[in-house]
Amino acid sequence: MSTNDNDILSPKGIRTFLIKPQLGDNIIIFKTLPSTNETAKKLAIEGAVNGTVVIADEQTAGKGRLGRSFFSPLESGIYMSIILRPNFKVENSVLITTAASVAVCKAIEKTTGIKPGIKWVNDIFVDGKKVCGILAEASSNFETSTIDYIILGIGINFNTNSNEFPKQLQNIAGSIYKENTNNVTRNMLIAEVINEVIKVVENIENRQFIREYKNRCIVLKKDIFIIEKDRKIAGRAVDVDENGGLVVQKQDGTIITLNTGEISIRGNF
Ligand code: BTN
C-alpha cells in the first residue's frame, strides 16, 4: 500500500467503488485539518446532508475517545468523519459505535483479506496491535427525543511505519499494511467503509451486527481489568448484550454490564 504512488485521495477515486455512487457527491477532502470530526460538526450544524463525508490527508489535532488524541500523520492514514442523520430513536445511537466497528472490520477484510478483531468497545486490532479507532459524537433534540446528527469519526493507520509512531504508541499501534496488499488504495478502503457503514446503519434496529461483533470480539472469554479513574477491577468478559454492552463476571462472582469505558486484557496489551 505504501508503495502505491497513485494513492491520492479524491472524491472521484472514492466514488468508483461506492455501491451508491450518488453519495460521492458529498465527499469533501482537505489536505490538512485539526480534526475531521470538528469540521463535520460545523457542516452538520450548517445543514449538511445525511451521508456527507469529511476526509483529511492529515490531522493536526485528531481526537480520540476519553479526551485522548489520535496520531494522524500525513498521507499514511485514513481520517474520515461521516455525518449521519438517522431516523431511529435516540436510545439506538449507542449502537452506532458497535455497528461501525463491525462495518470497518468488514471493509478492511473485503479490500485487503486481513481479518481484524475488535477490542471492546470499538478498537480494531490486527496482529495484536490497534490499527483503527472510532469516535462517534451525537447531537440530539431533547424535546422530540430524536437525533439531530451523529458524527462518526474513523481513523485507520493505513501504512504508517512502526517507527513513525510516537514512542509510547510503538508497542500498541500498528497499521494494516502487508506486502501482499500493496494494490489497495486509501480511496478503495474509504469507499468500502462508507458502503458498509451505510448498510449497517440502515439495518441497525434488527441488531444483526451484534452476532458478527461477538465473533470478532477479542476480549470474550478472557480475563480482563475494568479500568476506572483510580482503580482496576479484575473480572472475566463473558458476553456482549444486544445493546453492545460488555457483560463481565467480577472475581466475587457478581455480573455487571459495561456500557462505556475502557478495559484491558489481563497479562496482555
Ligand atoms: C480512539 O481510538 O480513541 C478514537 C479515534 C478516532 C479518530 C478519528 S480520525 C477521524 C476522526 N476525527 C477525529 O478527530 N477523530 C476521529
Side-chain angles (χ1 to χ4, degrees):
M1 295 192 269
S2 59
T3 50
N4 195 327
D5 293 335
N6 298 322
D7 194 9
I8 296 165
L9 297 177
S10 78
K12 194 168 161 240
I14 294 168
R15 194 182 294 123
T16 322
F17 301 103
L18 289 176
I19 293 174
K20 293 183 178 169
Q22 68 273 21
L23 285 173
D25 295 339
N26 301 313
I27 293 176
I28 311 161
I29 299 178
F30 295 84
K31 189 81 202 156
T32 180
L33 279 181
S35 154
T36 56
N37 264 31
E38 287 306 307
T39 300
K41 217 179 285 175
K42 277 187 206 134
L43 293 173
I45 291 166
E46 287 164 13
V49 297
N50 177 47
T52 301
V53 187
V54 178
I55 301 168
D57 245 329
E58 170 193 46
Q59 294 184 119
T60 52
K63 297 193 324 178
R65 286 180 68 237
L66 308 169
R68 298 185 184 132
S69 59
F70 187 78
F71 179 61
S72 313
L74 185 67
E75 287 172 356
S76 72
I78 289 175
Y79 319 113
M80 61 189 286
S81 299
I82 308 177
I83 299 174
L84 298 169
R85 295 189 186 277
N87 45 22
F88 51 65
K89 298 192 200 97
V90 166
E91 52 266 32
N92 283 329
S93 59
V94 298
L95 295 172
I96 281 281
T97 44
T98 312
S101 21
V102 171
V104 173
C105 284
K106 281 177 148 181
I108 293 175
E109 191 163 333
K110 266 193 184 166
T111 46
T112 68
I114 296 168
K115 284 192 180 5
I118 305 169
K119 175 174 170 273
W120 189 86
V121 185
N122 54 10
D123 288 339
I124 312 291
F125 272 67
V126 170
D127 296 336
K129 295 206 166 157
K130 175 170 166 174
V131 297
C132 167
I134 298 172
L135 174 67
E137 301 181 271
S139 165
S140 56
N141 182 323
F142 284 111
E143 278 172 19
T144 56
S145 284
T146 53
I147 297 161
D148 195 6
Y149 61 81
I150 294 175
I151 306 298
L152 180 62
I154 298 165
I156 303 175
N157 304 325
F158 190 71
N159 54 9
T160 317
N161 284 322
S162 54
N163 56 7
E164 278 176 60
F165 288 108
K167 274 236 150 40
Q168 71 275 18
L169 292 182
Q170 282 188 2
N171 290 328
I172 311 168
S175 82
I176 60 171
Y177 174 75
K178 297 266 182 300
E179 295 307 323
N180 59 351
T181 50
N182 65 10
N183 57 349
V184 180
T185 64
R186 287 179 298 160
N187 286 331
M188 278 181 202
L189 183 50
I190 288 170
E192 210 51 62
V193 168
I194 297 171
N195 289 337
E196 292 296 335
V197 165
I198 299 293
K199 258 195 266 173
V200 83
V201 171
E202 276 173 358
N203 299 303
I204 204 154
E205 274 163 311
N206 70 21
R207 286 171 164 75
Q208 273 178 9
F209 61 89
I210 293 283
R211 187 203 297 219
E212 178 131 16
Y213 184 94
K214 284 196 205 185
N215 287 339
R216 293 186 184 269
C217 185
I218 59 175
V219 307
L220 275 185
K221 314 277 178 264
K222 297 250 168 70
D223 292 328
I224 59 155
F225 279 121
I226 301 167
I227 301 172
E228 292 189 345
K229 214 165 162 200
D230 42 18
R231 61 179 185 159
K232 282 170 154 187
I233 302 165
R236 191 171 174 82
V238 291
D239 201 4
V240 172
D241 74 10
E242 57 158 19
N243 295 315
L246 187 67
V247 184
V248 178
Q249 179 162 40
K250 292 202 283 184
Q251 282 184 325
D252 64 6
T254 51
I255 303 273
I256 56 166
T257 302
L258 307 176
N259 293 309
T260 184
E262 201 186 11
I263 60 156
S264 64
I265 299 177
R266 278 194 266 160
N268 212 329
F269 305 113

